[in-house]
Amino acid sequence: MRCPFCGHEDTQVKDSRPNEDGVAIRRRRFCTSCGQRFTTIERVQLRELTVVKTDGRKVPFDREKLTRSIRIALRKRPVQEERIERIVTGLVTRLESSGDTEIPSSRIGELAMDTLREVDGVAYVRFASVYRDFREENDFSSILSTMRDAATGLAGPSDDKAGPETPNAR
Ligand SMILES: [Zn+2]
């Protein structure tokens, strides 16, 4: 694994341990050149998924993006980070085992909403209210940036600032 800081090819594994009940392996790595530490996470991937947006564009499924939107919905809620990872893993496994490699973005949104409803009522309402506004276009990245704005408003001005990508009108 190449060092993400300096590009050096030789990094060493210091420690590896399972997490999320053994569905992922987390490895702490150490660069022998610059001394930086970083973590890699190994997970089973049943298949490569492609997200089909409403306008027909196809993009590779991005687990991190899904995780960020779930995390934003759950911000300041009594839900541990490890549980969030398990929620996302559950969602991804359902998507990967659905039989289709191309998934409409709307299905990902619906599935995330259904899952949040079972986890935390407040997070569900946050996600659902934003999601419904975007149901027409079903663009997950729009959902994400609006979620961020909503969460920032709730958390106060000291949290992350709205960037230039912020949609300024509905
Ligand atoms: Zn390095």
Side-chain angles (χ1 to χ4, degrees), residues 2-8 10-11 30-36 38:
R2 187 190 292 268
C3 172
F5 298 97
C6 72
H8 188 62
D10 182 30
T11 55
F30 161 80
C31 174
T32 55
S33 173
C34 72
Q36 290 276 7
F38 59 102

PDB file of all heavy atoms in Angstrom, residues 2-8 10-11 30-36 38, ligand 1:
ATOM      1  N   ARG A   2       0.656   2.098  -0.976  1.00  0.00           N
ATOM      2  CA  ARG A   2       1.464   3.306  -1.112  1.00  0.00           C
ATOM      3  C   ARG A   2       1.091   4.341  -0.049  1.00  0.00           C
ATOM      4  O   ARG A   2      -0.077   4.498   0.283  1.00  0.00           O
ATOM      5  CB  ARG A   2       1.211   3.878  -2.515  1.00  0.00           C
ATOM      6  CG  ARG A   2       2.085   5.036  -2.891  1.00  0.00           C
ATOM      7  CD  ARG A   2       1.585   5.665  -4.176  1.00  0.00           C
ATOM      8  NE  ARG A   2       1.764   4.786  -5.335  1.00  0.00           N
ATOM      9  CZ  ARG A   2       2.844   4.803  -6.112  1.00  0.00           C
ATOM     10  NH1 ARG A   2       3.819   5.649  -5.875  1.00  0.00           N
ATOM     11  NH2 ARG A   2       2.937   3.990  -7.134  1.00  0.00           N
ATOM     12  N   CYS A   3       2.064   5.065   0.449  1.00  0.00           N
ATOM     13  CA  CYS A   3       1.803   6.092   1.471  1.00  0.00           C
ATOM     14  C   CYS A   3       1.030   7.266   0.845  1.00  0.00           C
ATOM     15  O   CYS A   3       1.471   7.833  -0.147  1.00  0.00           O
ATOM     16  CB  CYS A   3       3.119   6.599   2.064  1.00  0.00           C
ATOM     17  SG  CYS A   3       2.891   8.023   3.148  1.00  0.00           S
ATOM     18  N   PRO A   4      -0.108   7.637   1.424  1.00  0.00           N
ATOM     19  CA  PRO A   4      -0.902   8.732   0.858  1.00  0.00           C
ATOM     20  C   PRO A   4      -0.277  10.104   1.116  1.00  0.00           C
ATOM     21  O   PRO A   4      -0.683  11.104   0.515  1.00  0.00           O
ATOM     22  CB  PRO A   4      -2.250   8.609   1.584  1.00  0.00           C
ATOM     23  CG  PRO A   4      -1.936   7.952   2.883  1.00  0.00           C
ATOM     24  CD  PRO A   4      -0.747   7.049   2.618  1.00  0.00           C
ATOM     25  N   PHE A   5       0.706  10.159   2.003  1.00  0.00           N
ATOM     26  CA  PHE A   5       1.318  11.446   2.335  1.00  0.00           C
ATOM     27  C   PHE A   5       2.505  11.746   1.441  1.00  0.00           C
ATOM     28  O   PHE A   5       2.630  12.836   0.913  1.00  0.00           O
ATOM     29  CB  PHE A   5       1.744  11.471   3.810  1.00  0.00           C
ATOM     30  CG  PHE A   5       0.581  11.313   4.745  1.00  0.00           C
ATOM     31  CD1 PHE A   5       0.266  10.076   5.289  1.00  0.00           C
ATOM     32  CD2 PHE A   5      -0.225  12.405   5.055  1.00  0.00           C
ATOM     33  CE1 PHE A   5      -0.819   9.935   6.148  1.00  0.00           C
ATOM     34  CE2 PHE A   5      -1.318  12.266   5.909  1.00  0.00           C
ATOM     35  CZ  PHE A   5      -1.614  11.023   6.451  1.00  0.00           C
ATOM     36  N   CYS A   6       3.397  10.768   1.276  1.00  0.00           N
ATOM     37  CA  CYS A   6       4.616  11.036   0.510  1.00  0.00           C
ATOM     38  C   CYS A   6       4.738  10.162  -0.743  1.00  0.00           C
ATOM     39  O   CYS A   6       5.645  10.358  -1.543  1.00  0.00           O
ATOM     40  CB  CYS A   6       5.847  10.843   1.396  1.00  0.00           C
ATOM     41  SG  CYS A   6       6.191   9.116   1.795  1.00  0.00           S
ATOM     42  N   GLY A   7       3.851   9.194  -0.907  1.00  0.00           N
ATOM     43  CA  GLY A   7       3.898   8.370  -2.111  1.00  0.00           C
ATOM     44  C   GLY A   7       4.875   7.208  -2.035  1.00  0.00           C
ATOM     45  O   GLY A   7       4.998   6.432  -2.986  1.00  0.00           O
ATOM     46  N   HIS A   8       5.560   7.069  -0.914  1.00  0.00           N
ATOM     47  CA  HIS A   8       6.518   5.977  -0.732  1.00  0.00           C
ATOM     48  C   HIS A   8       5.810   4.623  -0.829  1.00  0.00           C
ATOM     49  O   HIS A   8       4.695   4.465  -0.371  1.00  0.00           O
ATOM     50  CB  HIS A   8       7.167   6.129   0.664  1.00  0.00           C
ATOM     51  CG  HIS A   8       8.305   5.197   0.908  1.00  0.00           C
ATOM     52  ND1 HIS A   8       9.456   5.224   0.157  1.00  0.00           N
ATOM     53  CD2 HIS A   8       8.464   4.206   1.839  1.00  0.00           C
ATOM     54  CE1 HIS A   8      10.274   4.282   0.615  1.00  0.00           C
ATOM     55  NE2 HIS A   8       9.695   3.653   1.623  1.00  0.00           N
ATOM     56  N   ASP A  10       6.727   1.651   0.381  1.00  0.00           N
ATOM     57  CA  ASP A  10       6.864   0.673   1.456  1.00  0.00           C
ATOM     58  C   ASP A  10       6.218   1.158   2.747  1.00  0.00           C
ATOM     59  O   ASP A  10       6.761   1.991   3.458  1.00  0.00           O
ATOM     60  CB  ASP A  10       8.368   0.400   1.679  1.00  0.00           C
ATOM     61  CG  ASP A  10       8.579  -0.647   2.766  1.00  0.00           C
ATOM     62  OD1 ASP A  10       7.709  -1.523   2.931  1.00  0.00           O
ATOM     63  OD2 ASP A  10       9.610  -0.565   3.452  1.00  0.00           O
ATOM     64  N   THR A  11       5.030   0.653   3.024  1.00  0.00           N
ATOM     65  CA  THR A  11       4.413   0.963   4.315  1.00  0.00           C
ATOM     66  C   THR A  11       4.203  -0.341   5.077  1.00  0.00           C
ATOM     67  O   THR A  11       4.018  -1.394   4.473  1.00  0.00           O
ATOM     68  CB  THR A  11       3.061   1.700   4.162  1.00  0.00           C
ATOM     69  OG1 THR A  11       2.200   0.924   3.338  1.00  0.00           O
ATOM     70  CG2 THR A  11       3.245   3.070   3.542  1.00  0.00           C
ATOM     71  N   PHE A  30       1.968   2.314   8.747  1.00  0.00           N
ATOM     72  CA  PHE A  30       3.026   3.232   9.132  1.00  0.00           C
ATOM     73  C   PHE A  30       3.980   3.335   7.951  1.00  0.00           C
ATOM     74  O   PHE A  30       4.371   2.329   7.356  1.00  0.00           O
ATOM     75  CB  PHE A  30       3.690   2.631  10.369  1.00  0.00           C
ATOM     76  CG  PHE A  30       5.050   3.140  10.685  1.00  0.00           C
ATOM     77  CD1 PHE A  30       5.203   4.358  11.335  1.00  0.00           C
ATOM     78  CD2 PHE A  30       6.177   2.389  10.372  1.00  0.00           C
ATOM     79  CE1 PHE A  30       6.460   4.817  11.651  1.00  0.00           C
ATOM     80  CE2 PHE A  30       7.433   2.854  10.680  1.00  0.00           C
ATOM     81  CZ  PHE A  30       7.580   4.069  11.328  1.00  0.00           C
ATOM     82  N   CYS A  31       4.295   4.572   7.533  1.00  0.00           N
ATOM     83  CA  CYS A  31       5.188   4.763   6.390  1.00  0.00           C
ATOM     84  C   CYS A  31       6.641   4.768   6.867  1.00  0.00           C
ATOM     85  O   CYS A  31       7.007   5.529   7.761  1.00  0.00           O
ATOM     86  CB  CYS A  31       4.875   6.078   5.680  1.00  0.00           C
ATOM     87  SG  CYS A  31       6.036   6.462   4.366  1.00  0.00           S
ATOM     88  N   THR A  32       7.468   3.924   6.259  1.00  0.00           N
ATOM     89  CA  THR A  32       8.865   3.832   6.686  1.00  0.00           C
ATOM     90  C   THR A  32       9.693   5.017   6.189  1.00  0.00           C
ATOM     91  O   THR A  32      10.808   5.225   6.627  1.00  0.00           O
ATOM     92  CB  THR A  32       9.517   2.536   6.162  1.00  0.00           C
ATOM     93  OG1 THR A  32       9.360   2.501   4.743  1.00  0.00           O
ATOM     94  CG2 THR A  32       8.860   1.315   6.773  1.00  0.00           C
ATOM     95  N   SER A  33       9.116   5.808   5.264  1.00  0.00           N
ATOM     96  CA  SER A  33       9.856   6.948   4.749  1.00  0.00           C
ATOM     97  C   SER A  33       9.543   8.235   5.515  1.00  0.00           C
ATOM     98  O   SER A  33      10.442   8.881   6.046  1.00  0.00           O
ATOM     99  CB  SER A  33       9.553   7.126   3.258  1.00  0.00           C
ATOM    100  OG  SER A  33      10.137   8.315   2.784  1.00  0.00           O
ATOM    101  N   CYS A  34       8.254   8.603   5.606  1.00  0.00           N
ATOM    102  CA  CYS A  34       7.928   9.888   6.249  1.00  0.00           C
ATOM    103  C   CYS A  34       7.393   9.717   7.669  1.00  0.00           C
ATOM    104  O   CYS A  34       7.218  10.700   8.382  1.00  0.00           O
ATOM    105  CB  CYS A  34       6.930  10.678   5.395  1.00  0.00           C
ATOM    106  SG  CYS A  34       5.251  10.010   5.401  1.00  0.00           S
ATOM    107  N   GLY A  35       7.115   8.481   8.075  1.00  0.00           N
ATOM    108  CA  GLY A  35       6.686   8.247   9.445  1.00  0.00           C
ATOM    109  C   GLY A  35       5.207   8.492   9.710  1.00  0.00           C
ATOM    110  O   GLY A  35       4.738   8.324  10.833  1.00  0.00           O
ATOM    111  N   GLN A  36       4.455   8.904   8.685  1.00  0.00           N
ATOM    112  CA  GLN A  36       3.017   9.148   8.881  1.00  0.00           C
ATOM    113  C   GLN A  36       2.281   7.828   9.115  1.00  0.00           C
ATOM    114  O   GLN A  36       2.685   6.789   8.615  1.00  0.00           O
ATOM    115  CB  GLN A  36       2.415   9.831   7.645  1.00  0.00           C
ATOM    116  CG  GLN A  36       2.859  11.261   7.462  1.00  0.00           C
ATOM    117  CD  GLN A  36       2.030  12.250   8.281  1.00  0.00           C
ATOM    118  OE1 GLN A  36       1.189  11.862   9.105  1.00  0.00           O
ATOM    119  NE2 GLN A  36       2.284  13.523   8.072  1.00  0.00           N
ATOM    120  N   PHE A  38      -1.539   5.875   8.900  1.00  0.00           N
ATOM    121  CA  PHE A  38      -2.877   5.934   8.303  1.00  0.00           C
ATOM    122  C   PHE A  38      -3.538   4.570   8.458  1.00  0.00           C
ATOM    123  O   PHE A  38      -2.906   3.603   8.880  1.00  0.00           O
ATOM    124  CB  PHE A  38      -2.835   6.393   6.834  1.00  0.00           C
ATOM    125  CG  PHE A  38      -2.006   5.527   5.914  1.00  0.00           C
ATOM    126  CD1 PHE A  38      -2.621   4.613   5.066  1.00  0.00           C
ATOM    127  CD2 PHE A  38      -0.631   5.645   5.879  1.00  0.00           C
ATOM    128  CE1 PHE A  38      -1.866   3.815   4.212  1.00  0.00           C
ATOM    129  CE2 PHE A  38       0.140   4.857   5.032  1.00  0.00           C
ATOM    130  CZ  PHE A  38      -0.479   3.942   4.199  1.00  0.00           C
TER     131      PHE A  38
HETATM  132 ZN    ZN B   1       5.144   8.436   3.625  1.00  0.00          ZN
END
